[in-house]
Amino acid sequence: MTQSCKIPGFPRTSEMQHYNRIVVNQHDEVAIVRFVDRRIVDDQNIQELGEELNRLVEQEGRRLLLLNFEGVDFMSSAALNVLIKLQQKAKAHGGSVRICSLRPEIREVFSMTRLDRMFDIRTTEVAGLAAF
Amino acid sequence: MGASSTPAWRLHRTIPSDTEVGSRLIDDLSMQMREHGWDERQIFQVQLAYEEAIVNAIRHGNRYSPEKTVEVVFICNSQQVRIEITDQGCGFDPGAVPDPTSDERLENPGGRGVLMIRECMSDVSYGKGGCQLTMVKDRSDLSIGHDDDQDDE
């Protein structure tokens, strides 16, 4: 894992890492992940997103992840599959994935697919951080 | 289409087996839904159902074959949206798709797109051996998913 310098204050940014589909800020033990794409539907982008999220857990050793969906307008079932795999990987490494700041319509998607049983979903980033 | 106070808008396109091309088509329907007074929540639901359906037609139906095309028909007025998607694949049996919300399958991929189509639309039917999907959204249909959301407890 490439360890970034500890910058006083919040958030500490892992500026040494390069991602195309996500932005990552480390807050104590929790990696806060935001998304570059407003619409997460493109096959290639979803594949790249999955690889970058997996890298967080498997190569960088980040076990606690808070996915902040602020700014995301739309996501497909293929994107949901990426999140499911990430949760499985995080749990296998003794961690967990939580979700916050979902647009209400996307929150309904988690409800209709019952994935809200698999993910702890909070309305705000502050609430999401407090849940760890 | 049922009785309506505004004339129906209609679009008929034949597209290649390219999900990017397929996804772009929904922009026209979304714009028409807005012009016909549909709310953003219902527009989102129709977008979601269409996205899942067009990807299924291209990926599972035509298997991305450049030799095959997908036919898309949109009809929209102020009371109803109708979408027909016809691929050139071998068809499929929607009844054979397992329930992705069951405890034992919750973490498995597959079947979630078909579920989302069913939940987001008012009526969904398959024809031509599963190669043709017809989806209808009624303006009066405000239901979706489950209403037991309880975040930040």
Side-chain angles (χ1 to χ4, degrees):
Chain A
M1 173 181 174
T2 307
Q3 196 75 40
S4 63
C5 298
K6 289 188 176 181
I7 303 167
F10 169 78
R12 296 190 327 242
T13 305
S14 55
E15 70 276 10
M16 298 301 287
Q17 297 294 335
H18 177 72
Y19 312 98
N20 291 321
R21 308 261 72 88
I22 56 177
V23 175
V24 184
N25 292 310
Q26 190 71 27
H27 178 70
D28 295 332
E29 298 298 309
V30 181
I32 303 171
V33 181
R34 295 183 179 85
F35 299 85
V36 169
D37 300 302
R38 298 188 75 84
R39 292 173 57 84
I40 309 178
V41 291
D42 179 82
D43 280 349
Q44 285 185 332
N45 287 354
I46 289 174
Q47 186 180 341
E48 189 174 27
L49 173 65
E51 290 166 0
E52 291 183 359
L53 290 172
N54 285 343
R55 182 149 54 99
L56 291 177
V57 177
E58 295 196 321
Q59 293 180 25
E60 300 173 25
R62 303 183 202 242
R63 298 180 302 109
L64 304 179
L65 304 172
L66 177 61
L67 308 183
N68 183 337
F69 280 88
E70 187 175 353
V72 175
D73 292 335
F74 194 84
M75 59 193 290
S76 66
S77 63
L80 291 176
N81 288 338
V82 165
L83 303 186
I84 292 167
K85 285 179 191 161
L86 179 68
Q87 180 72 290
Q88 291 168 336
K89 274 203 169 33
K91 283 186 173 174
H93 285 75
S96 65
V97 175
R98 295 182 185 192
I99 287 173
C100 70
S101 307
L102 286 170
R103 172 183 171 177
E105 290 84 355
I106 299 180
R107 176 65 183 84
E108 288 181 329
V109 173
F110 279 81
S111 179
M112 78 170 77
T113 55
R114 297 287 187 182
L115 288 177
D116 51 0
R117 286 185 299 178
M118 188 176 179
F119 293 97
D120 187 342
I121 301 173
R122 306 289 167 149
T123 53
T124 65
E125 187 173 284
V126 171
L129 283 171
F132 281 100
Chain B
M1 299 289 284
S4 166
S5 56
T6 55
W9 168 81
R10 182 185 170 96
L11 181 77
H12 183 176
R13 290 277 186 276
T14 301
I15 62 168
S17 299
D18 182 330
T19 53
E20 202 177 324
V21 175
S23 292
R24 275 204 300 269
L25 274 189
I26 194 64
D27 293 341
D28 287 341
L29 177 59
S30 300
M31 190 175 69
Q32 287 297 325
M33 288 181 73
R34 284 189 189 94
E35 289 187 3
H36 283 86
W38 290 72
D39 68 40
E40 287 301 319
R41 182 167 174 262
Q42 290 180 310
I43 293 170
F44 175 91
Q45 292 164 2
V46 170
Q47 286 178 339
L48 187 63
Y50 171 76
E51 179 66 30
E52 296 297 331
I54 196 70
V55 167
N56 281 348
I58 292 169
R59 179 186 296 155
H60 302 299
N62 287 1
R63 298 186 185 278
Y64 297 104
S65 169
E67 314 295 322
K68 295 178 178 176
T69 58
V70 177
E71 210 171 321
V72 179
V73 177
F74 295 140
I75 306 173
C76 170
N77 64 25
S78 62
Q79 298 304 312
Q80 196 179 76
V81 169
R82 182 185 179 92
I83 300 174
E84 290 175 14
I85 297 174
T86 310
D87 64 54
Q88 296 177 320
C90 301
F92 89 113
D93 176 10
V97 177
D99 177 11
T101 65
S102 64
D103 287 338
E104 62 272 19
R105 293 198 57 84
L106 191 62
E107 298 191 13
N108 294 358
R112 212 162 273 114
V114 172
L115 169 82
M116 287 155 69
I117 292 169
R118 202 172 61 234
E119 291 284 336
C120 287
M121 302 300 282
S122 309
D123 186 64
V124 178
S125 58
Y126 294 86
K128 297 184 178 176
C131 290
Q132 184 175 67
L133 168 63
T134 302
M135 310 186 283
V136 173
K137 183 73 171 178
D138 292 319
R139 182 72 169 270
S140 58
D141 177 12
L142 300 174
S143 65
I144 184 174
H146 308 278
D147 57 3
D148 54 358
D149 298 354
Q150 290 292 326
D151 296 341
D152 299 348
E153 287 176 345

